Amino acid sequence: MALRFIILGCGWVGEAFAKEMQKRGYQVYATTTQEHKCQRLNDVGIHAFVMDFDNLTSVDGLPQSFDFVLTSVPAVRSLESSTVKRRFEGVQLFLESIAFTKHIFLSSIGIYPDLSGVFTEEVELSETSNLLIAEHLLLINNRTTVYRLGGLFGKNRIFAKYFQNKICTTGNQKANFIHLLDVIELLYLGFTTGLKEQLYNIVCLEHPSKRDVIIASAQKYGLDLPLAFEDFGDFQKIISGEKITQELQYTYSYANPILF
């Protein structure tokens, strides 16, 4: 029998991952809060269900065992912390209702403060955030690994597109980005190999300025440049993604955001 994935909160990354795992011969299940998305996923052979973890009451209709669980349910910064706590208690309740081998939660490097310095997974975070609440709730389970993703690009997400004919105020800051194709491969390896830790930054090893990334992607895709670069808040934050690449001996498809 083919190994079985379930993706909780099947968003942009989750859907791309689901389709790739389906191509590789896995059975893929997914949850979404949207009826139309549920239908679209079912139409391409992904077993989709509508599920709202903010108000989870039952998990009827789903199999009771999976090999791998990917959670990409968002811990949105603008939400009340009580809402985020209830949402991820719902995720935890679901995990407790099924049998599974490994679980990966997609968090974000937005969990780190906007300060100059190099941030590794070992940095102690002093300020409680919605992301930290979500991580703490899910890390109670020792089969959980957290991936803190850098800024996500690939497919139709092109950095320069968001600055066309606008003023860019962050050009001097360092790019802490990751390409979708590398996320998918690192997820696959995270599930199918034995990771040693519970927390990893998923970020390119090279950190050019955002200005250089904008200029390179505008040239590559024929997009307009910003009207001007007027830099404010020029802190130099670098998120280290070395731990997982060293552990897995992984070579990025896109090692530098300038290549996106």
Side-chain angles (χ1 to χ4, degrees):
M1 181 183 291
L3 292 176
R4 183 183 284 167
F5 280 90
I6 185 167
I7 299 164
L8 309 182
C10 192
W12 189 68
V13 173
E15 186 169 351
F17 182 72
K19 289 177 179 177
E20 181 59 30
M21 293 305 99
Q22 189 183 43
K23 286 180 187 175
R24 297 187 191 188
Y26 295 95
Q27 288 184 12
V28 183
Y29 290 73
T31 77
T32 175
T33 58
Q34 302 169 339
E35 290 281 359
H36 67 89
K37 188 167 192 177
C38 183
Q39 185 61 54
R40 188 177 80 236
L41 293 170
N42 276 305
D43 287 345
V44 297
I46 295 166
H47 309 289
F49 295 80
V50 173
M51 190 173 290
D52 180 5
F53 290 102
D54 289 4
N55 300 287
L56 188 66
T57 56
S58 70
V59 293
D60 296 339
L62 281 166
Q64 294 302 297
S65 67
F66 297 89
D67 296 283
F68 307 125
V69 183
L70 172 63
T71 295
S72 56
V73 174
V76 182
R77 183 178 296 180
S78 60
L79 290 176
E80 293 287 338
S81 59
S82 58
T83 301
V84 172
K85 185 173 183 289
R86 185 171 67 251
R87 176 175 295 179
F88 284 89
E89 285 174 343
V91 173
Q92 186 67 5
L93 179 66
F94 177 84
L95 294 175
E96 289 171 357
S97 74
I98 62 170
F100 65 94
T101 303
K102 291 185 180 181
H103 169 231
I104 295 178
F105 169 51
L106 297 184
S107 185
S108 166
I109 62 166
I111 203 167
Y112 297 110
D114 287 338
L115 299 170
S116 293
V118 177
F119 292 84
T120 68
E121 295 87 345
E122 282 67 43
V123 169
E124 290 191 16
L125 299 169
S126 58
E127 185 175 338
T128 300
S129 65
N130 285 346
L131 283 167
L132 198 59
I133 290 169
E135 288 186 7
H136 283 169
L137 281 169
L138 297 184
L139 283 169
I140 292 170
N141 190 305
N142 61 13
R143 288 167 291 172
T144 293
T145 300
V146 171
Y147 276 14
R148 290 175 175 168
L149 301 185
L152 281 161
F153 295 95
K155 292 190 174 181
N156 62 338
R157 288 194 181 183
I158 301 162
F159 194 44
K161 183 169 71 174
Y162 305 102
F163 295 94
Q164 290 187 102
N165 303 309
K166 297 178 182 178
I167 293 173
C168 175
T169 61
T170 57
N172 277 346
Q173 293 177 10
K174 295 294 185 182
N176 294 290
F177 296 162
I178 187 70
H179 196 281
L180 178 64
L181 293 181
D182 285 308
V183 174
I184 289 171
E185 199 57 36
L186 283 166
L187 280 170
Y188 176 73
L189 292 171
F191 282 119
T192 57
T193 63
L195 291 173
K196 298 174 183 176
E197 306 289 342
Q198 278 194 287
L199 183 61
Y200 295 91
N201 295 328
I202 309 298
V203 185
C204 289
L205 299 182
E206 297 186 41
H207 304 272
S209 71
K210 291 180 179 179
R211 179 198 306 259
D212 288 345
V213 179
I214 290 169
I215 291 170
S217 61
Q219 291 174 342
K220 182 174 182 178
Y221 295 101
L223 300 171
D224 292 337
L225 288 169
L227 293 174
F229 290 95
E230 297 179 0
D231 294 308
F232 298 99
D234 57 351
F235 56 88
Q236 299 296 298
K237 179 169 73 171
I238 293 176
I239 310 300
S240 172
E242 291 184 0
K243 183 162 77 169
I244 197 166
T245 53
Q246 290 176 353
E247 184 176 325
L248 295 176
Q249 295 297 293
Y250 181 73
T251 301
Y252 281 102
S253 296
Y254 294 90
N256 189 326
I258 284 177
L259 303 175
F260 288 5

